[in-house]
Amino acid sequence: MEISVRKPSAWKISLSLRAKDVTYFLAFFLLFTCDFYNTTTFKGVMNISSLLNVVRVFSVILIFVKCAFLDRYNIKQLSVIALLVGFAAISIFSSSTATLLDFILLAVGCRGVDDKKIVKTYLILGTIYLLIAMFCSLSGIIVNYSTVRPSTGTVRYSFGIVYSTDFAAHVFFLILAYHYIRKHKMKLLDVIIHIFIIAFLDRYCNARLSELMILATLILFLLYDYKRKIFQSKRFAFATQWVTLVCGIFSVGITYLYSSSSHFWVLLDE
């Protein structure tokens, strides 16, 4: 006796995938908008904290609905999710910010969603929001903070973001997103644009770490496009597994050890 297993029809699968995408990207749009707003000086001209809290709660509900009714998890996965959310809750109470929770929710909720669509959405929204902040700051609608680097006297502008370093970080992450979704090899125009961005950041933000990271990104992707064998070696694969962890530990460590009374640490910070 044969037992037939009824498979879900193609239109049901398509409908399920579409529901996942709509739910996730709506939550992504709302959470990303809230978090980006908090990095800008729009906070100084309009107080919408109550509205943002409502939007954030609605986004959490959307992610919960997707995870509970549209996705499937085993016990091990649920345990990891619960652990991550627990860490995020501790972070909220200790730092009074929900940024880590937003990140974890979006990471957990992206199950079954095309990662390139997520990065492309981030790239589009981030670019639009950053250009709006720049335009509004240069036209006087919001504050364009300026600070002076004591060691050199260089004036650094934030272009509508709370700090010049944060503006440069936005630019750096948008460049990473672009490289993740691009389909063509690096061309001369790509190199020129990268160099122009580095020069712009150096002249108006003097955010040297972000400038170095953008330059390193340019070099790495040129090597990846034209010397790909380097990235296929076992040594490189091993290094990439540990470099993020090592860099994270190093970053936390030097932050903990930093002392404003130490000439070495002040010089390193500069």
Side-chain angles (χ1 to χ4, degrees):
M1 179 179 179
E2 294 183 356
I3 300 176
S4 61
V5 179
R6 188 176 182 181
K7 297 182 179 179
S9 59
W11 71 268
K12 285 186 177 181
I13 296 175
S14 176
L15 184 63
S16 175
L17 292 174
R18 188 173 301 178
K20 289 183 179 183
D21 281 359
V22 171
T23 305
Y24 180 80
F25 283 112
L26 178 56
F28 183 95
F29 167 74
L30 295 174
L31 284 176
F32 181 74
T33 302
C34 291
D35 288 334
F36 195 96
Y37 167 85
N38 285 327
T39 70
T40 69
T41 56
F42 277 106
K43 294 188 295 183
V45 296
M46 54 182 179
N47 184 10
I48 57 172
S49 57
S50 298
L51 175 61
L52 292 180
N53 290 334
V54 173
V55 170
R56 195 181 297 277
V57 170
F58 179 65
S59 302
V60 172
I61 293 174
L62 286 173
I63 295 293
F64 175 79
V65 168
K66 179 181 180 299
C67 292
F69 300 103
L70 300 176
D71 295 331
R72 295 291 182 270
Y73 298 93
N74 57 40
I75 297 299
K76 183 178 179 180
Q77 292 168 337
L78 289 174
S79 300
V80 172
I81 292 173
L83 186 63
L84 291 173
V85 173
F87 281 129
I90 294 173
S91 173
I92 292 174
F93 286 115
S94 60
S95 64
S96 299
T97 177
T99 303
L100 180 60
L101 177 62
D102 293 347
F103 176 79
I104 289 175
L105 288 174
L106 291 175
V108 170
C110 71
R111 185 182 180 89
V113 181
D114 185 354
D115 56 334
K116 288 191 179 294
K117 286 184 180 179
I118 298 172
V119 177
K120 186 176 182 179
T121 302
Y122 163 76
L123 178 61
I124 294 172
L125 289 178
T127 302
I128 292 173
Y129 291 168
L130 196 62
L131 290 175
I132 290 174
M134 290 182 68
F135 173 79
C136 290
S137 68
L138 293 174
S139 58
I141 298 174
I142 59 177
V143 178
N144 181 13
Y145 287 132
S146 61
T147 56
V148 178
R149 188 182 289 276
S151 60
T152 61
T154 305
V155 181
R156 312 168 69 194
Y157 299 96
S158 68
F159 296 106
I161 306 301
V162 293
Y163 194 58
S164 55
T165 304
D166 291 21
F167 174 83
H170 275 300
V171 175
F172 170 60
F173 287 123
L174 289 174
I175 288 174
L176 289 181
Y178 163 74
H179 281 292
Y180 188 80
I181 64 173
R182 70 179 173 88
K183 298 178 180 179
H184 62 274
K185 284 188 174 182
M186 291 280 285
K187 299 178 181 178
L188 179 60
L189 180 60
D190 293 301
V191 176
I192 293 173
I193 292 174
H194 279 71
I195 293 174
F196 172 79
I197 291 173
I198 292 171
F200 177 87
L201 292 177
D202 186 63
R203 171 63 180 83
Y204 294 104
C205 301
N206 199 225
R208 291 174 293 192
L209 181 59
S210 291
E211 295 164 27
L212 288 173
M213 294 301 293
I214 294 172
L215 179 60
T217 299
L218 172 62
I219 295 171
L220 282 172
F221 278 104
L222 281 172
L223 289 173
Y224 180 78
D225 284 346
Y226 296 98
K227 297 290 184 180
R228 189 161 297 190
K229 288 184 178 180
I230 298 174
F231 297 85
Q232 295 173 342
S233 66
K234 292 182 179 180
R235 290 182 179 180
F236 183 82
F238 177 80
T240 54
Q241 291 177 353
W242 293 98
V243 66
T244 303
L245 177 62
V246 172
C247 289
I249 294 174
F250 176 76
S251 177
V252 173
I254 61 174
T255 303
Y256 177 78
L257 295 173
Y258 175 81
S259 173
S260 58
S261 60
S262 170
H263 177 70
F264 169 77
W265 287 113
V266 172
L267 184 63
L268 182 64
D269 185 46
E270 289 291 330

